[in-house]
mmCIF file of all heavy atoms in Angstrom:
data_model
loop_
_atom_site.group_PDB
_atom_site.id
_atom_site.type_symbol
_atom_site.label_atom_id
_atom_site.label_comp_id
_atom_site.label_asym_id
_atom_site.label_seq_id
_atom_site.Cartn_x
_atom_site.Cartn_y
_atom_site.Cartn_z
ATOM 1 N N VAL Z 89 5.393 1.650 -12.517
ATOM 2 C CA VAL Z 89 5.627 1.782 -13.948
ATOM 3 C C VAL Z 89 4.289 1.807 -14.665
ATOM 4 O O VAL Z 89 3.381 1.054 -14.338
ATOM 5 C CB VAL Z 89 6.467 0.591 -14.470
ATOM 6 C CG1 VAL Z 89 6.649 0.672 -15.968
ATOM 7 C CG2 VAL Z 89 7.798 0.535 -13.759
ATOM 8 N N SER Z 90 4.187 2.676 -15.654
ATOM 9 C CA SER Z 90 2.994 2.724 -16.493
ATOM 10 C C SER Z 90 3.392 2.401 -17.912
ATOM 11 O O SER Z 90 4.370 2.942 -18.425
ATOM 12 C CB SER Z 90 2.360 4.121 -16.466
ATOM 13 O OG SER Z 90 1.933 4.432 -15.177
ATOM 14 N N LEU Z 91 2.637 1.521 -18.546
ATOM 15 C CA LEU Z 91 2.884 1.194 -19.945
ATOM 16 C C LEU Z 91 1.973 2.033 -20.816
ATOM 17 O O LEU Z 91 0.776 2.139 -20.566
ATOM 18 C CB LEU Z 91 2.621 -0.288 -20.205
ATOM 19 C CG LEU Z 91 3.516 -1.261 -19.443
ATOM 20 C CD1 LEU Z 91 3.114 -2.691 -19.755
ATOM 21 C CD2 LEU Z 91 4.973 -1.043 -19.826
ATOM 22 N N VAL Z 92 2.561 2.648 -21.828
ATOM 23 C CA VAL Z 92 1.803 3.485 -22.754
ATOM 24 C C VAL Z 92 1.950 2.881 -24.142
ATOM 25 O O VAL Z 92 3.067 2.690 -24.616
ATOM 26 C CB VAL Z 92 2.342 4.947 -22.742
ATOM 27 C CG1 VAL Z 92 1.569 5.815 -23.716
ATOM 28 C CG2 VAL Z 92 2.294 5.521 -21.338
ATOM 29 N N PRO Z 93 0.836 2.577 -24.799
ATOM 30 C CA PRO Z 93 0.927 2.028 -26.144
ATOM 31 C C PRO Z 93 1.669 2.992 -27.077
ATOM 32 O O PRO Z 93 1.570 4.214 -26.920
ATOM 33 C CB PRO Z 93 -0.526 1.877 -26.579
ATOM 34 C CG PRO Z 93 -1.313 1.886 -25.316
ATOM 35 C CD PRO Z 93 -0.533 2.691 -24.339
ATOM 36 N N GLY Z 94 2.392 2.448 -28.049
ATOM 37 C CA GLY Z 94 3.217 3.255 -28.939
ATOM 38 C C GLY Z 94 2.457 4.385 -29.609
ATOM 39 O O GLY Z 94 2.961 5.494 -29.728
ATOM 40 N N GLY Z 95 1.244 4.155 -30.041
ATOM 41 C CA GLY Z 95 0.472 5.194 -30.710
ATOM 42 C C GLY Z 95 -0.055 6.275 -29.789
ATOM 43 O O GLY Z 95 -0.485 7.325 -30.237
ATOM 44 N N ALA Z 96 -0.016 6.058 -28.483
ATOM 45 C CA ALA Z 96 -0.556 7.036 -27.534
ATOM 46 C C ALA Z 96 0.511 7.943 -26.948
ATOM 47 O O ALA Z 96 0.214 8.764 -26.096
ATOM 48 C CB ALA Z 96 -1.262 6.281 -26.402
ATOM 49 N N ARG Z 97 1.739 7.813 -27.387
ATOM 50 C CA ARG Z 97 2.830 8.621 -26.802
ATOM 51 C C ARG Z 97 2.812 10.044 -27.249
ATOM 52 O O ARG Z 97 2.526 10.499 -28.235
ATOM 53 C CB ARG Z 97 4.177 8.013 -27.157
ATOM 54 C CG ARG Z 97 4.380 6.730 -26.432
ATOM 55 C CD ARG Z 97 5.749 6.190 -26.693
ATOM 56 N NE ARG Z 97 5.736 4.794 -26.304
ATOM 57 C CZ ARG Z 97 6.556 3.895 -26.749
ATOM 58 N NH1 ARG Z 97 7.494 4.214 -27.593
ATOM 59 N NH2 ARG Z 97 6.489 2.667 -26.340
#
Side-chain angles (χ1 to χ4, degrees):
V89 177
S90 297
L91 297 178
V92 179
R97 290 185 197 157

